[in-house]
């Protein structure tokens, strides 16, 4: 992130309030990313690899839920109660039994190795300390388990990357603390996760990452 932004960093409380406010509109707000930039298709491909006991971190309104295998046991956590309300409605509509809890991704309240699969999507851009959150995901994932990440960051298209850099502060302030010029692959590697597969898509902004 641009060093200029540090004094203006949003607190967890501010991020939570921003998502509480946007919860009812969130699925509409990301329609373009989902259906034009290919996020929904990649989400389906990636999240259907999840198995066993699954933890969905920063689950938001539950857009990953339809793709988890019916046989799996899913726990979903998020900071925002309103986002979780929408997620619970989605789970009920899909007839899924998903446990939801308010929880900070940077301090997961689960024992080491509790889950077979840990997933997160469109979230490391917002976590104040994404490396700490990724380390927590690795900690609660069983040895040999799967970590599935659908993340966005700096485009590899130079014109778009420049646009993101120029507007990073405005985007951060208008989008609940989203830092859109980070490199998700760097974050994942720095956190000590081992990437086994990754695919870039959607104007070079998005990454579907399988790690362990
Ligand atoms: C852009 S939304 C992504 C939601 C969903 N995963 C998706 O793919 O649509 C980011 C989510 O991260 C949640 N969030 C932000 N900071 C968090 C934190 N520290 N711990 C847990 N959730 C957090 C927000 O409340 C919001 O629901």
């Amino acid at each position: 992130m641009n060093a200029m932004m540090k004094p203006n960093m949003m607190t967890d409380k501010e991020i939570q309030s921003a998502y509480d406010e946007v919860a009812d509109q969130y699925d509409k707000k990301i329609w373009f990313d989902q259906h034009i930039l290919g996020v929904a298709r990649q989400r389906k491909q990636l999240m259907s690899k999840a198995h066993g006991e699954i933890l969905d971190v920063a689950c938001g309104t539950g857009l990953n839920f339809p793709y988890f295998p019916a046989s799996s046991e899913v726990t979903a956590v998020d900071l925002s109660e309103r986002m979780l309300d929408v997620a619970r409605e989605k789970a009920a509509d899909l007839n899924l039994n998903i446990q939801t809890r308010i929880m900070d991704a940077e301090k997961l309240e689960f024992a080491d190795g509790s889950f077979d699969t840990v997933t997160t999507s469109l979230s490391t851009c917002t976590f104040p300390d994404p490396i700490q959150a990724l380390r927590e995901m690795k900690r609660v994932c069983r040895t040999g388990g799967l970590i599935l990440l659908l993340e966005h960051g700096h485009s590899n298209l130079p014109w778009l990357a420049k646009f993101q850099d120029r507007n990073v502060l405005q985007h951060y302030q208008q989008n609940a603390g989203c830092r859109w010029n980070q490199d998700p692959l760097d974050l994942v590697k720095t956190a000590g996760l081992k990437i086994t597969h990754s695919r870039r898509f959607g104007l070079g902004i998005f990454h579907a990452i399988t790690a362990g």
Side-chain angles (χ1 to χ4, degrees), residues 12 15 19 26 30 43 57-61 63-64 77-80 83 103-106 121-123 126-128:
D12 277 351
I15 292 169
Y19 273 103
Y26 178 80
I30 71 158
R43 202 187 271 282
V57 177
C59 66
T61 60
L63 286 170
N64 295 332
V77 301
D78 199 281
L79 266 190
S80 158
M83 293 291 272
M103 203 179 289
D104 184 350
E106 294 172 19
S121 48
L122 312 182
S123 64
T126 303
F127 299 146

Side-chain angles (χ1 to χ4, degrees):
M1 182 186 22
N2 185 328
M4 267 173 52
M5 284 176 55
K6 289 204 170 138
N8 300 321
M9 281 211 34
M10 288 175 76
T11 61
D12 277 351
K13 188 86 198 128
E14 289 167 332
I15 292 169
Q16 178 197 337
S17 305
Y19 273 103
D20 279 347
E21 266 176 44
V22 83
D24 289 333
Q25 295 304 314
Y26 178 80
D27 289 4
K28 279 191 196 137
K29 194 169 141 58
I30 71 158
W31 187 91
F32 186 86
D33 292 359
Q34 283 275 92
H35 300 291
I36 305 298
L37 295 183
V39 171
R41 199 175 60 240
Q42 294 296 326
R43 202 187 271 282
K44 180 176 183 182
Q45 261 184 32
L46 187 71
M47 297 305 169
S48 54
K49 292 185 193 169
H51 64 87
E53 286 181 61
I54 299 171
L55 174 66
D56 192 19
V57 177
C59 66
T61 60
L63 286 170
N64 295 332
F65 294 176
Y67 310 121
F68 295 141
S71 57
S72 53
E73 262 178 60
V74 183
T75 303
V77 301
D78 199 281
L79 266 190
S80 158
E81 184 67 51
R82 287 294 305 130
M83 293 291 272
L84 282 181
D85 284 343
V86 180
R88 282 187 281 263
E89 281 165 25
K90 205 167 272 145
D93 289 346
L94 293 164
N95 210 15
L96 300 172
N97 180 18
I98 292 180
Q99 305 303 311
T100 57
R101 284 175 66 177
I102 292 276
M103 203 179 289
D104 184 350
E106 294 172 19
K107 293 177 209 134
L108 294 176
E109 298 160 32
F110 301 108
D112 296 0
S114 297
F115 298 93
D116 299 298
T117 309
V118 181
T119 63
T120 198
S121 48
L122 312 182
S123 64
T124 54
C125 54
T126 303
F127 299 146
D129 186 347
I131 306 282
Q132 171 61 19
L134 287 163
R135 286 187 179 135
E136 278 292 88
M137 291 180 215
K138 183 171 167 64
R139 180 185 66 75
V140 302
C141 188
R142 287 189 183 119
T143 307
L146 266 183
I147 303 178
L148 304 173
L149 307 124
L150 184 75
E151 292 301 312
H152 75 95
H154 217 197
S155 174
N156 60 352
L157 299 176
W159 63 268
L160 187 48
K162 262 191 215 149
F163 177 82
Q164 290 177 304
D165 289 340
R166 269 202 306 271
N167 293 287
V168 68
L169 183 53
Q170 190 184 6
H171 185 84
Y172 181 86
Q173 287 166 341
Q174 292 175 357
N175 292 275
C178 170
R179 298 178 301 268
W180 69 350
N181 66 348
Q182 296 187 138
D183 181 345
L185 292 175
D186 268 0
L187 295 176
V188 169
K189 284 180 205 154
T190 306
L193 278 64
K194 194 168 178 290
I195 297 174
T196 50
H197 186 263
S198 76
R199 174 174 148 68
R200 200 187 261 267
F201 66 98
L203 296 175
I205 292 172
F206 294 93
H207 300 260
I209 304 166
T210 304

